[in-house]
Amino acid sequence: YLGACVELGPEDVEADKASGAKVTYFEGYLWDPPRAKEAIRQTATLAHAAGREVSMTLSDPFCVDRYRDEFLDLMRSGAVDIVFANSHEIKSLYQTSSFEEALAQIRKDCKIAAVTRSEKGSVIVRGDETVVIKATTIKELVDT
């Protein structure tokens, strides 16, 4: 349940906060309400005009399926600088079963991508740079 954010619109954007935050973050699920899209685009414009960055999470593969072209446009147009995703979401975004292929694509489409891979840890890419982070070993899994 998205709660009150489904009512988010351009009139809710506070210019000083959008231009003052080092990185503004939005959830991919928030792309569902049309007025929220306007607010996000407005915020991105304000943030970039102030030399700041905008980040988003892909949220889930179903969200990616609904908005694939729009998410890619946000990234490729420079409206979104940083993308957070898991391996399923990034493969869905690029319609491939290959994690390596999806990672190669997202490397071209945004400044930074941070991708979680469950027990395989995480990968962060920025241009040609790649940082692999191993998953933390746990003794007993209680709840995922």
mmCIF file of all heavy atoms in Angstrom, residues 33 38 42-43 53 55 65 68 78 86 98 103 108 115 127 141:
data_model
loop_
_atom_site.group_PDB
_atom_site.id
_atom_site.type_symbol
_atom_site.label_atom_id
_atom_site.label_comp_id
_atom_site.label_asym_id
_atom_site.label_seq_id
_atom_site.Cartn_x
_atom_site.Cartn_y
_atom_site.Cartn_z
ATOM 1 N N PRO A 33 1.206 6.844 -9.978
ATOM 2 C CA PRO A 33 0.277 7.984 -10.047
ATOM 3 C C PRO A 33 0.770 9.043 -11.045
ATOM 4 O O PRO A 33 1.904 9.516 -10.935
ATOM 5 C CB PRO A 33 0.285 8.559 -8.622
ATOM 6 C CG PRO A 33 0.908 7.507 -7.764
ATOM 7 C CD PRO A 33 1.827 6.739 -8.660
ATOM 8 N N GLU A 38 4.787 13.982 -12.590
ATOM 9 C CA GLU A 38 5.050 15.410 -12.778
ATOM 10 C C GLU A 38 5.933 15.943 -11.653
ATOM 11 O O GLU A 38 6.866 16.704 -11.897
ATOM 12 C CB GLU A 38 3.738 16.200 -12.804
ATOM 13 C CG GLU A 38 2.851 15.934 -13.983
ATOM 14 C CD GLU A 38 1.535 16.713 -13.863
ATOM 15 O OE1 GLU A 38 1.594 17.932 -13.609
ATOM 16 O OE2 GLU A 38 0.468 16.090 -14.009
ATOM 17 N N GLN A 42 9.677 17.440 -12.051
ATOM 18 C CA GLN A 42 9.928 18.797 -11.563
ATOM 19 C C GLN A 42 11.081 18.791 -10.569
ATOM 20 O O GLN A 42 11.974 19.634 -10.626
ATOM 21 C CB GLN A 42 8.656 19.347 -10.911
ATOM 22 C CG GLN A 42 8.801 20.732 -10.341
ATOM 23 C CD GLN A 42 7.508 21.197 -9.671
ATOM 24 O OE1 GLN A 42 6.444 20.635 -9.878
ATOM 25 N NE2 GLN A 42 7.609 22.233 -8.868
ATOM 26 N N THR A 43 11.080 17.838 -9.666
ATOM 27 C CA THR A 43 12.144 17.725 -8.671
ATOM 28 C C THR A 43 13.491 17.469 -9.342
ATOM 29 O O THR A 43 14.501 18.074 -8.976
ATOM 30 C CB THR A 43 11.823 16.600 -7.663
ATOM 31 O OG1 THR A 43 10.594 16.919 -7.016
ATOM 32 C CG2 THR A 43 12.921 16.455 -6.631
ATOM 33 N N GLU A 53 22.057 15.394 -7.736
ATOM 34 C CA GLU A 53 21.738 14.169 -8.458
ATOM 35 C C GLU A 53 20.394 13.600 -8.031
ATOM 36 O O GLU A 53 19.886 13.923 -6.948
ATOM 37 C CB GLU A 53 22.835 13.129 -8.243
ATOM 38 C CG GLU A 53 24.157 13.542 -8.869
ATOM 39 C CD GLU A 53 25.222 12.497 -8.728
ATOM 40 O OE1 GLU A 53 25.393 11.948 -7.612
ATOM 41 O OE2 GLU A 53 25.898 12.216 -9.740
ATOM 42 N N SER A 55 18.190 9.864 -7.779
ATOM 43 C CA SER A 55 18.293 8.411 -7.786
ATOM 44 C C SER A 55 16.903 7.794 -7.732
ATOM 45 O O SER A 55 15.947 8.439 -7.294
ATOM 46 C CB SER A 55 19.128 7.922 -6.602
ATOM 47 O OG SER A 55 18.484 8.206 -5.379
ATOM 48 N N ASP A 65 8.156 -3.909 -15.768
ATOM 49 C CA ASP A 65 7.371 -4.301 -16.954
ATOM 50 C C ASP A 65 6.378 -3.215 -17.351
ATOM 51 O O ASP A 65 6.166 -2.964 -18.532
ATOM 52 C CB ASP A 65 6.631 -5.616 -16.704
ATOM 53 C CG ASP A 65 7.553 -6.820 -16.694
ATOM 54 O OD1 ASP A 65 8.697 -6.719 -17.192
ATOM 55 O OD2 ASP A 65 7.135 -7.865 -16.170
ATOM 56 N N ARG A 68 8.962 0.118 -18.326
ATOM 57 C CA ARG A 68 10.304 -0.115 -18.881
ATOM 58 C C ARG A 68 10.768 1.059 -19.733
ATOM 59 O O ARG A 68 11.842 1.625 -19.512
ATOM 60 C CB ARG A 68 10.328 -1.396 -19.704
ATOM 61 C CG ARG A 68 11.679 -1.693 -20.344
ATOM 62 C CD ARG A 68 11.679 -3.026 -21.076
ATOM 63 N NE ARG A 68 11.525 -4.103 -20.097
ATOM 64 C CZ ARG A 68 10.387 -4.805 -19.931
ATOM 65 N NH1 ARG A 68 9.328 -4.546 -20.696
ATOM 66 N NH2 ARG A 68 10.316 -5.751 -19.025
ATOM 67 N N GLY A 78 19.128 11.487 -18.639
ATOM 68 C CA GLY A 78 19.874 12.132 -17.565
ATOM 69 C C GLY A 78 19.007 12.636 -16.428
ATOM 70 O O GLY A 78 19.509 13.241 -15.489
ATOM 71 N N ASN A 86 17.621 -4.902 -7.945
ATOM 72 C CA ASN A 86 18.140 -6.238 -7.667
ATOM 73 C C ASN A 86 18.349 -6.928 -9.008
ATOM 74 O O ASN A 86 18.004 -6.384 -10.066
ATOM 75 C CB ASN A 86 17.238 -7.020 -6.706
ATOM 76 C CG ASN A 86 15.872 -7.347 -7.269
ATOM 77 O OD1 ASN A 86 15.713 -7.606 -8.462
ATOM 78 N ND2 ASN A 86 14.869 -7.339 -6.418
ATOM 79 N N SER A 98 20.417 -12.796 -18.815
ATOM 80 C CA SER A 98 21.831 -12.682 -18.475
ATOM 81 C C SER A 98 22.095 -11.467 -17.587
ATOM 82 O O SER A 98 21.921 -10.323 -18.017
ATOM 83 C CB SER A 98 22.672 -12.568 -19.750
ATOM 84 O OG SER A 98 23.984 -12.154 -19.452
ATOM 85 N N LEU A 103 23.933 -5.837 -16.782
ATOM 86 C CA LEU A 103 24.894 -4.952 -16.125
ATOM 87 C C LEU A 103 25.661 -4.121 -17.152
ATOM 88 O O LEU A 103 25.888 -2.919 -16.950
ATOM 89 C CB LEU A 103 25.854 -5.780 -15.269
ATOM 90 C CG LEU A 103 26.616 -5.030 -14.197
ATOM 91 C CD1 LEU A 103 25.663 -4.439 -13.159
ATOM 92 C CD2 LEU A 103 27.611 -5.953 -13.512
ATOM 93 N N LYS A 108 25.863 1.820 -19.320
ATOM 94 C CA LYS A 108 25.789 2.849 -20.359
ATOM 95 C C LYS A 108 24.663 3.855 -20.098
ATOM 96 O O LYS A 108 24.690 4.959 -20.632
ATOM 97 C CB LYS A 108 25.541 2.201 -21.722
ATOM 98 C CG LYS A 108 26.604 1.264 -22.195
ATOM 99 C CD LYS A 108 26.146 0.628 -23.509
ATOM 100 C CE LYS A 108 26.920 -0.621 -23.836
ATOM 101 N NZ LYS A 108 26.340 -1.326 -24.992
ATOM 102 N N VAL A 115 23.428 -2.853 -7.608
ATOM 103 C CA VAL A 115 22.556 -4.001 -7.849
ATOM 104 C C VAL A 115 22.806 -5.075 -6.791
ATOM 105 O O VAL A 115 23.939 -5.543 -6.640
ATOM 106 C CB VAL A 115 22.793 -4.587 -9.257
ATOM 107 C CG1 VAL A 115 21.803 -5.707 -9.539
ATOM 108 C CG2 VAL A 115 22.697 -3.496 -10.322
ATOM 109 N N GLY A 127 30.572 3.865 -14.914
ATOM 110 C CA GLY A 127 31.419 3.852 -16.106
ATOM 111 C C GLY A 127 32.083 2.493 -16.250
ATOM 112 O O GLY A 127 31.418 1.463 -16.190
ATOM 113 N N LEU A 141 19.539 -18.384 9.198
ATOM 114 C CA LEU A 141 18.551 -17.515 8.573
ATOM 115 C C LEU A 141 17.244 -17.656 9.353
ATOM 116 O O LEU A 141 16.689 -18.739 9.462
ATOM 117 C CB LEU A 141 18.326 -17.919 7.112
ATOM 118 C CG LEU A 141 17.254 -17.135 6.360
ATOM 119 C CD1 LEU A 141 17.641 -15.661 6.282
ATOM 120 C CD2 LEU A 141 17.058 -17.715 4.984
#
